[in-house]
Each structure stands twice: as structure tokens, then as C-alpha cells.
Amino acid sequence: MKTLSLIILFFATIACKETQTVYLCDSEGGKKYHYTTSCRGLSNCQHKIIKVTLEKAKSQGKTLCGWEK
Ligand SMILES: [Zn+2]
């Protein structure tokens, strides 16, 4: 029973990574994505903060914000 729950946890973790969501500042010059809305890079955002999947952010040419790590 314990093994089964470990296996479920394992696959749940993988699924979570594939659908990881990130945050973008919806400005024209915005080229960064952020892991949290409380990021310093987003605090300067004068536009709407939008939530997208990591995959979509990358497909739009976004790169990880310099404040993250
Ligand atoms: Zn950031």
C-alpha cells in the first residue's frame, strides 16, 4: 500500500511539472516569466499579470526573470 502511494506521488509530481504555471506581465515589452506574483520583477508591472503554462511562456520567447533563483 505504501509503495502504491509513492508511485502515485511520483506521477503526480511529473504531471505537475508539465503543467507548471508561470506569470507574465502583459506589457508589450515583457519578455520575462515569473514563478510567483510576488516576485520583485512583477512588482513593477503596470499592466495586467497573466497566468500561463511554462510551456506557453517559452513558446512566446519568454525567459526566466532575473530576480528568480
Ligand atoms: Zn520574476
Side-chain angles (χ1 to χ4, degrees):
M1 210 55 181
K2 199 174 180 185
T3 310
L4 181 63
S5 53
L6 278 176
I7 291 169
I8 291 169
L9 183 67
F10 179 70
F11 283 106
T13 307
I14 290 174
C16 184
K17 274 190 178 172
E18 282 178 354
T19 57
Q20 184 179 7
T21 51
V22 294
Y23 300 92
L24 308 174
C25 182
D26 194 21
S27 66
E28 297 203 1
K31 289 195 163 48
K32 303 288 182 185
Y33 65 82
H34 311 263
Y35 290 135
T36 64
T37 53
S38 57
C39 173
R40 284 180 74 175
L42 269 180
S43 65
N44 296 327
C45 180
Q46 302 292 314
H47 302 262
K48 212 170 76 172
I49 293 170
I50 52 172
K51 188 177 171 183
V52 297
T53 62
L54 178 58
E55 199 174 305
K56 192 180 174 189
K58 284 184 173 174
S59 75
Q60 291 176 3
K62 312 286 186 189
T63 55
L64 180 61
C65 156
W67 292 108
E68 316 282 351
K69 248 293 179 202

